[in-house]
Amino acid sequence: MYLYNSLSHKKELFTPNSPDVVKMYTCGPTVYHFAHIGNLRTYIMEDVLEKSLRYLGYNVKRVMNITDVGHLASDADTGEDKMLKGAKRENKSVMEIAQYYTDAFFADCDKLNIKKPDIIQPATGCIAEFIQIVEGLIDKGFAYFAGGNVYFDTSKLEKYYVFNDHDEEDLAIGVREGVEEDTNKRNKNDFVLWFTKSKFEDQALKWESPWGVGYPGWHIECSGISMKYLGEDLDIHCGGIDNAFPHHTNEIAQSESYLGHKWCNYWFHVHHLNTDTGKMSKSKGEFLTVSLLQEKGYDPMAYRFFCLQSHYRRNLVFSWENLDNAALAYEKLVGKIANLKEEGNVDETALAALKDRFISALNGDLNTSLAVTALYDVLKAKTTDATKLAALESFDQVLSLNLLQAAKAVRQKSEEEEAASADPEIDALVAARTEAKKAKNFQEADRIRDELKAMGIEIIDTPQGAKWRRV
Ligand code: AMP
Ligand code: ZN
């Protein structure tokens, strides 16, 4: 599989460290609010990546953190803890908020057929592991204590900006959001590993540490949780593109300084879902959730289909019109599948050819729009319906669009509708007309047709015989 690696800025042949297992880490949600559909775009594409790797024969071990402490209002370590903000907003405790929004997140994932990672770890459950890494970084001279907090010293690194050539502009993000600069930092890019002092003294969750009672920084969570479950070498790390800097940049800085060697080989970043006014974000106030789409009558699968139609490395623009188009295309696709009959044998050669096309779409940097095109290729293929159904079922292991289940539901619905509209009296009249026509008694046949017309029934002559419908 060729994947674009944000670290090398190139598509590379994906080769895990060990052939036995792909070690995959995903930055999880900050559980202070509902996930918006932009966040969920990232999780959908990561889900497709995991399922593609499994489809291609890899065994995958996937870990995700739940950020329930330490993620401050600005990614540059300033402002209030987002969890505390959420708790105040809803007049609840931080742990109540964390539980509520963790459950809501996985309920949304369920609706979108996003598989749960093998391991899900809330950050508050790994404080000892974080402290151990921070101690190691201090011992090795990569971290310092200032003004009550422990900071990572970015000047000790040969190269800090590993993804891009960022400049000081990047750190101005925090300033733009109206947050003061932290004067304890020796270098502008230094970041907090452990807080004991903050302007927000009402921080709810605190733990003992060698530097006083406090709480971990956001970045250390992902390094600590990943190392705890996946060891010192990671194959692939995923997240939204906004996480590349500073979050992932800082994860690499601290992990590699602590371990003394390269940590993660591939970085997979999903680009943003934007609205016509810019990136969808919670700080802007208004944002869309899966529940809201459902309230408006959309099937969550239509949103998943919408995401799969575009490449993960392109920004995707959300509009109701775009979603409507995707919903309609999904409905039509399912309708076509519903017309397939479970007939004939599976033609293994034809099936292999169809699968080849699908696999080459995945292998080409997870080209999901081509993978969706492969679904239409199946429907157009000159082969048995049984082969087509086998191919669609197979592809849906990765795309997870509920294709066969939705098609079955369509068939059931039309059968039910047919049964509900059945009427023996009309059937008898239609049969009598057919007999009259056979006997060349066209006057009688026309009379019956007019009688039915007066009852609001239209006769449709088809090669399979006369059918009727109410008009
Ligand atoms: P958060 O819960 O804020 O930590 O974000 C969860 C995930 O969603 C992270 O991987 C972010 O990079 C990603 N993300 C945030 N905003 C967007 C967006 N508008 N489109 C796609 N992904 C996003
Ligand atoms: Zn992370």
Side-chain angles (χ1 to χ4, degrees):
M1 182 182 214
Y2 277 85
L3 278 180
Y4 182 86
N5 186 353
S6 311
L7 211 50
S8 62
H9 304 284
K10 285 197 301 258
K11 284 186 201 166
E12 289 178 30
L13 182 64
F14 178 72
T15 321
N17 282 309
S18 147
D20 301 331
V21 66
V22 173
K23 296 181 183 181
M24 180 171 178
Y25 185 85
T26 309
C27 289
T30 308
V31 283
Y32 71 113
H33 216 320
F34 292 111
H36 60 59
I37 58 171
N39 300 130
L40 290 160
R41 177 196 189 194
T42 292
Y43 293 108
I44 288 172
M45 300 320 284
E46 293 166 348
D47 180 64
V48 176
L49 173 63
E50 178 190 344
K51 287 173 178 165
S52 298
L53 289 168
R54 291 186 194 272
Y55 191 79
L56 297 172
Y58 291 107
N59 180 17
V60 181
K61 182 171 178 189
R62 181 163 173 210
V63 178
M64 180 193 275
N65 67 306
I66 298 288
T67 299
D68 53 0
V69 68
H71 192 175
L72 305 193
S74 143
D75 285 356
D77 292 335
T78 42
E80 195 174 11
D81 189 316
K82 289 188 179 187
M83 293 302 299
L84 197 60
K85 236 174 150 175
K88 279 186 190 161
R89 184 186 65 231
E90 297 183 20
N91 230 342
K92 292 195 182 128
S93 75
V94 166
M95 287 327 273
E96 278 169 340
I97 290 285
Q99 193 56 57
Y100 181 79
Y101 287 113
T102 301
D103 292 346
F105 173 71
F106 287 112
D108 284 345
C109 287
D110 249 15
K111 290 177 190 171
L112 291 164
N113 281 347
I114 298 170
K115 177 184 167 294
K116 265 193 174 168
D118 304 292
I119 293 165
I120 296 155
Q121 175 63 63
T124 48
C126 288
I127 301 299
E129 283 85 349
F130 308 149
I131 290 177
Q132 190 187 332
I133 299 175
V134 178
E135 280 183 310
L137 288 169
I138 294 175
D139 287 350
K140 292 184 173 187
F142 285 104
Y144 59 93
F145 185 74
N149 297 332
V150 183
Y151 294 85
F152 186 92
D153 186 348
T154 52
S155 69
K156 295 282 159 62
L157 299 174
E158 258 173 53
K159 188 171 185 212
Y160 170 64
Y161 295 118
V162 285
F163 290 115
N164 278 315
D165 291 324
H166 294 277
D167 52 32
E168 297 199 345
E169 275 285 294
D170 290 311
L171 274 201
I173 299 164
V175 178
R176 257 183 253 130
E177 287 182 7
V179 186
E180 279 172 40
E181 243 175 81
D182 182 346
T183 50
N184 294 318
K185 291 184 182 181
R186 287 185 193 160
N187 314 287
K188 257 195 160 174
N189 300 330
D190 291 357
F191 54 93
V192 179
L193 297 164
W194 187 268
F195 290 96
T196 71
K197 286 274 182 312
S198 141
K199 277 196 303 175
F200 300 94
E201 285 305 337
D202 50 353
Q203 173 70 23
L205 297 174
K206 294 183 188 183
W207 294 264
E208 292 284 349
S209 82
W211 317 284
V213 175
Y215 58 100
W218 171 39
H219 317 297
I220 199 75
E221 293 177 12
C222 290
S223 296
I225 291 172
S226 143
M227 284 180 208
K228 175 170 176 168
Y229 295 103
L230 298 170
E232 292 195 4
D233 301 288
L234 195 56
D235 289 309
I236 186 156
H237 192 311
C238 319
I241 189 70
D242 58 316
N243 282 166
F245 184 85
H247 184 50
H248 292 160
T249 304
N250 292 349
E251 280 188 44
I252 293 174
Q254 68 204 2
S255 298
E256 298 194 347
S257 304
Y258 175 70
L259 294 169
H261 59 74
K262 182 157 182 178
W263 174 51
C264 177
N265 290 331
Y266 299 87
W267 288 81
F268 176 89
H269 287 122
V270 181
H271 287 243
H272 281 149
L273 180 79
N274 294 327
T275 61
D276 50 8
T277 54
K279 179 191 156 194
M280 185 169 291
S281 100
K282 287 174 215 173
S283 56
K284 286 188 186 163
E286 291 232 328
F287 59 88
L288 295 174
T289 60
V290 185
S291 308
L292 201 101
L293 297 189
Q294 283 182 298
E295 276 167 34
K296 288 186 180 279
Y298 292 95
D299 178 349
M301 285 303 103
Y303 182 64
R304 186 167 172 117
F305 191 68
F306 172 66
C307 290
L308 296 187
Q309 283 176 320
S310 84
H311 195 254
Y312 75 92
R313 280 196 298 115
R314 279 173 193 266
N315 287 340
L316 177 58
V317 178
F318 178 86
S319 70
W320 293 109
E321 195 188 345
N322 291 348
L323 184 62
D324 282 339
N325 288 337
L328 193 66
Y330 177 72
E331 202 181 309
K332 278 192 179 162
L333 175 64
V334 168
K336 284 187 181 148
I337 298 171
N339 288 332
L340 298 176
K341 309 261 182 316
E342 282 175 31
E343 282 171 2
N345 293 324
V346 174
D347 175 345
E348 293 298 339
T349 315
L351 180 60
L354 292 169
K355 278 191 183 173
D356 270 355
R357 243 177 278 172
F358 181 69
I359 288 174
S360 76
L362 301 180
N363 278 343
D365 193 23
L366 208 70
N367 193 330
T368 50
S369 66
L370 264 186
V372 167
T373 306
L375 296 174
Y376 294 99
D377 291 343
V378 169
L379 291 167
K380 279 187 270 173
K382 291 196 172 35
T383 184
T384 60
D385 279 7
T387 310
K388 294 181 184 182
L389 287 167
L392 294 168
E393 187 173 19
S394 167
F395 301 176
D396 217 26
Q397 288 170 30
V398 175
L399 304 178
S400 297
L401 289 165
N402 282 354
L403 295 175
L404 299 197
Q405 299 91 314
K408 195 174 166 195
V410 167
R411 269 198 308 274
Q412 264 170 3
K413 196 170 165 224
S414 77
E415 279 163 18
E416 278 164 23
E417 275 170 5
E418 235 170 68
S421 66
D423 189 324
E425 187 196 347
I426 295 167
D427 287 346
L429 280 168
V430 172
R433 174 181 169 265
T434 306
E435 285 306 310
K437 270 175 80 178
K438 253 196 215 159
K440 303 220 177 334
N441 186 352
F442 297 112
Q443 208 180 349
E444 173 64 359
D446 286 350
R447 190 198 61 75
I448 299 175
R449 196 193 53 209
D450 291 344
E451 186 184 338
L452 284 164
K453 199 173 172 190
M455 291 162 73
I457 304 295
E458 182 189 33
I459 296 189
I460 308 142
D461 288 310
T462 78
Q464 290 79 36
K467 301 224 159 81
W468 60 268
R469 68 181 179 110
R470 291 180 204 280
V471 284

